Structures are given as C-alpha cells and as structure tokens.
Amino acid sequence: MADRGASFKRDLSEWRIALVAWRLLVLQAADPVVGAGMAEHSTYRAHPWRRVEHTLGSGRRLFYQDAEALRREVARLNRSHKRIRGTLPDGRPYDARDAATRVWVLLTLFECVVAMRRLGGDPYDATQLEAAYREFREAIAAFELPEEELPRSAAELPRYFARYARERLEFTEAARYLLNDILREAPRPRRLWFLGDAGWRVVRAAVARVIRELTVADLPPVVRERLGLVSSRRAALLSVVLHRGVGAVVPLLPDGLRYRSAEEVRRPPRRFRPAGDARGSRVDRFFREVLDQTGDGCITVHDLKAMAHNVCWQLELSEDAEARVYRAFEDWWEQLRAAMDADGDGRVSREEFTAATLAGCDRDADYLERGLLPALREVFAAADTDGSGFLEFDEYRAVFGGPRVHPAELSHGFRQLDGDGDGRITEEEFLRGFTEFFTARADSTAGAQLLGRP
C-alpha cells in the first residue's frame, strides 16, 4: 500500500473514520464526568443523530478552519461546558471543565485516528506518529490545557491510556447505553426516510449488533478489561474483515469520495405529517419529539437547558447574551413546572403534560407572560444580530439552517413565520408562530428544526 504520510487532519477526514466512531463515543462516555454530563445534560438519548452532528461539526471547526474560527469554537465549548456540572450518584461532584477529563476527550479523538490506520492495515510508523501528534497538539493549543496533563510525545500515549483507564474509567450508565441499547432504540435518520419505520426497525437491529461487536473488539484491551467486556472470536474476525477490507478499498478512491467535504450531502425535504391528528395524539408526539430533549420520559430543567444550548450553539453570542437565553429558558421551566407538575416531584411526566395541555394550562396568561414568551423573545433577540427588530432570511438561516436542512425546507419554515409575506419576520410574527408550536397547536418546520428532530 502506498505511503500516505502522517497528516492527522487528512486522516480524520476519511470516511472510514465512521468504523471507529462508536468506539470513540464509548471511550469518552466511560469517563465518569463525561458519563454524568451525558446523563443529565445531553440530548443523546432522544436526539442521537443531532448529537453526532454537533460533535462532527465541532470537530470540523477545531481542525479544519482558520485560527479565528478555532478561537470562536473553543470559546463556544468553554461556555457550554461551564454549565455542565453536578453530583455523581455516589456523591462526588463533577465539572465538565475538569482538565484531566478535557484532555482525555481530546486524546481519544487522536487515538481513534491512530487505531483506524492500525486496524486498517496501514499503521503510522514511529516518525509519522510523532508528526501526526505534533499536528494534533498544535490544533488543541487554543484550549490552553495544563502541560502536565498532556503526554509529551505520541510514544507516551499507550502508557497514558493504560493509567487513565485503570484509574478513572468506569462502565458508566452512558457508556453501557451507548454500547448496548441506543442503536436498538434510535429513531430513523432523516436521510433514510425511504426505509420507512418498519424497514428501519429491521436495519436497526442488524446494525446495532454489528456495531456492538465491532466496538468491543476494537476497544484497547486495557479498557475492555476495566469495563469487564469480552470480545468473541467472531467479533475479532468481523473487525479484521471490515477494517482491512475498507482500508484496502478507500485508498483507491478519488479524493472527492475518500474524504469528507465541507459541504454535507443534502436530503429530500421532510414529509410532513397531516394536520388532522387528534389533539391528544399531537400533544403526546410533541412531548416525545420536542420537549423531552434528554429522552428520559419526563421534562426537567435539563430539558429546557438543552433547548437553550441548541439555540446558542447555532449563534456567535457574547457571554452575557448567552446567559440571558439560558436564564429565560430556566424561568420558562419554573413556570412550566408550576403549571403542570401535579404531584410536586420536580418533574413533568408525559401524562401530566398531556393532561395539563388539554386542560388549557399552556394558554394560561401567567404561564405565557412569565415563561414561554420571555424565552422566545430572547431567542428572537439573539437571532436578530443587526438589532433591526426583524429577522431577515440570512439571520433566520443562521439559527434554523445547517447541513441537515434542505433549502426548500428552510424556505418553507421562513414563510410559515412570515405571516404578511413581506420577506422579513417581526417579533410579533415570531412569537405568534412559536406560541402555536410550543403549545402543540400547530406543526412548524422552524420550531422542529430549532430544537432538533429525531
């Protein structure tokens, strides 16, 4: 096989990185801090594909763009991680800003690229490995991580991984769910709309089994031992066949097919559901697909924080502006809890939400004026970057667009909100459209895209 050199960024952009993607997620989730953050603050259960999209998008900004884009992405991540903290089930505090955890998360990305090449039959030699590690270190310098936490050279990585695995890693609930359950329950990706729900269930079961066996086989032995996992001979054979087979084919492809381009593949517009659903069915679906962001069957403050995160993620906001968005969504949660938490347990179940909504609690003036509407006003203010009092299409696209949004769908959402058809959205039009959406009285392309579809 021809020598491809040692470019970490180039190797990271190969499509075959998908073969080690789940391995990467499990390695990261096995850190107790990451696992706890995923359990309490992440939307990965309800919206796994959006979570993957955010992760890949962040990686592109970290490794493939200019210094200014890198600086902004690091600032975005720092603001986001500042809010991810709490207490582990055993009482230990956790904080996503923990330096050792951040180093682990970043190094797992480098290690997975190294593993991809090794498993594919074209491993880095010692010189190439050090060159790739230097390239990686240059890219992550913007994080200003403590030097003592980072291995000084690639040659030290195996020792670092062994020590970290034995001292820090656990088979967290998040890692267990990623490995055993999430792919058996994951909603159909929108790009696979042609499979239908029945076809997706069949494909999903087969894919879940293959990915689990491949992931366990590919994990570093010290990690498998730490997590109590055993790889079968069949899984080991599957790993060899897949990695070597793809590793032999990929180098023969032209660069346009071999590497991910910056432009994502577009998919057909969404097939919208008919508007004739019964009110109860609409409310139930709205709870599951929109409000229950963390996918745990109830609404808590974490779901509203996840919504705020998804709004802020799309925009380049100042720390003060981002804090206002989060504060508004937390206030919305307090009003939602007060109106709908019938048993006072600090969360709103699907049954409580459905009963309260059908009874009209979501239209209560106090709930709207002190909860939902202030949150929507902050979203509008954040999106109105030029302060004109209107959302022009470019401003709308910054919040509601993205690589997964078909242009026709984007235009449709804009027209839904632009009630008078003058080519711009007023705050009144924005509030009216989203009030209908968040009270589960109308479908909205814009609303669904803002908070993420399954």
Side-chain angles (χ1 to χ4, degrees), residues 27-98:
L27 282 172
Q28 293 180 351
D31 182 291
V33 175
V34 177
M38 290 176 68
E40 293 193 348
H41 300 274
S42 176
T43 63
Y44 79 106
R45 285 177 180 261
H47 300 280
W49 311 125
R50 189 182 74 195
R51 187 68 264 153
V52 171
E53 177 189 313
H54 279 184
T55 299
L56 293 177
S58 180
R60 282 193 295 272
R61 287 188 289 268
L62 288 176
F63 294 106
Y64 298 112
Q65 303 213 26
D66 58 29
E68 178 58 22
L70 172 61
R71 183 196 64 77
R72 292 198 305 268
E73 182 60 19
V74 171
R76 185 204 307 270
L77 291 170
N78 286 340
R79 290 195 305 270
S80 176
H81 290 158
K82 181 173 65 176
R83 296 179 172 86
I84 302 177
R85 58 184 183 271
T87 305
L88 294 169
D90 61 7
R92 290 176 293 164
Y94 73 87
D95 190 321
R97 294 171 296 178
D98 173 65

Side-chain angles (χ1 to χ4, degrees), residues 46-314:
H47 300 280
W49 311 125
R50 189 182 74 195
R51 187 68 264 153
V52 171
E53 177 189 313
H54 279 184
T55 299
L56 293 177
S58 180
R60 282 193 295 272
R61 287 188 289 268
L62 288 176
F63 294 106
Y64 298 112
Q65 303 213 26
D66 58 29
E68 178 58 22
L70 172 61
R71 183 196 64 77
R72 292 198 305 268
E73 182 60 19
V74 171
R76 185 204 307 270
L77 291 170
N78 286 340
R79 290 195 305 270
S80 176
H81 290 158
K82 181 173 65 176
R83 296 179 172 86
I84 302 177
R85 58 184 183 271
T87 305
L88 294 169
D90 61 7
R92 290 176 293 164
Y94 73 87
D95 190 321
R97 294 171 296 178
D98 173 65
T101 298
R102 299 185 81 185
V103 169
W104 169 254
V105 168
L106 288 168
L107 284 176
T108 55
L109 183 60
F110 179 80
E111 190 272 345
C112 276
V113 173
V114 174
M116 177 193 77
R117 288 200 50 163
R118 183 186 71 251
L119 293 166
D122 58 336
Y124 291 126
D125 62 30
T127 302
Q128 292 173 333
L129 183 62
E130 294 299 339
Y133 187 60
R134 284 194 298 272
E135 185 182 358
F136 170 79
R137 286 287 303 266
E138 289 173 4
I140 67 169
F143 283 96
E144 299 181 348
L145 298 165
E147 281 294 323
E148 62 272 15
E149 295 287 348
L150 283 160
R152 289 173 296 181
S153 68
E156 296 180 10
L157 281 171
R159 187 163 60 251
Y160 164 86
F161 261 76
R163 176 185 60 79
Y164 200 94
R166 294 190 178 104
E167 295 178 1
R168 294 282 298 259
L169 297 192
E170 301 173 6
F171 203 8
T172 64
E173 179 56 33
R176 190 185 310 275
Y177 184 71
L178 280 169
L179 193 60
N180 296 330
D181 298 316
I182 189 170
L183 287 172
R184 300 181 188 280
E185 304 170 0
R188 171 168 44 86
R190 297 180 65 213
R191 289 185 179 128
L192 300 184
W193 59 269
F194 56 87
L195 288 176
D197 290 337
W200 169 242
R201 283 193 293 271
V202 173
V203 170
R204 180 174 62 184
V207 169
R209 183 171 183 177
V210 168
I211 289 182
R212 186 193 186 282
E213 292 199 356
L214 181 67
T215 300
V216 172
D218 290 348
L219 285 172
V222 66
V223 175
R224 281 204 304 269
E225 180 183 349
R226 176 66 176 169
L227 303 187
L229 299 170
V230 178
S231 176
S232 65
R233 290 183 179 178
R234 181 179 63 186
L237 178 60
L238 173 69
S239 174
V240 171
V241 170
L242 280 178
H243 285 290
R244 292 298 179 96
V246 174
V249 171
V250 164
L252 304 178
L253 300 175
D255 285 355
L257 297 177
R258 181 177 180 180
Y259 301 106
R260 293 196 310 270
S261 65
E263 196 67 29
E264 296 285 341
V265 176
R266 298 291 189 180
R267 81 270 183 240
R270 181 189 183 196
R271 284 177 164 77
F272 294 103
R273 298 172 188 260
D277 287 353
R279 172 76 165 136
S281 174
R282 180 193 293 277
V283 171
D284 181 78
R285 190 178 77 246
F286 181 80
F287 179 95
R288 290 183 287 104
E289 296 185 358
V290 176
L291 290 182
D292 185 13
Q293 290 280 299
T294 55
D296 60 359
C298 63
I299 310 170
T300 69
V301 68
H302 296 304
D303 296 286
L304 277 294
K305 286 182 177 180
M307 293 182 194
H309 170 80
N310 205 56
V311 171
C312 295
W313 186 264
Q314 318 295 336

Side-chain angles (χ1 to χ4, degrees), residues 367-405:
Y367 168 79
L368 291 174
E369 290 300 330
R370 298 176 61 184
L372 175 59
L373 290 179
L376 293 178
R377 289 190 183 101
E378 288 297 338
V379 174
F380 183 88
D384 180 20
T385 53
D386 63 4
S388 67
F390 302 95
L391 290 191
E392 310 291 347
F393 186 75
D394 285 346
E395 292 172 319
Y396 171 84
R397 180 169 51 200
V399 184
F400 299 95
R404 296 175 64 209
V405 184

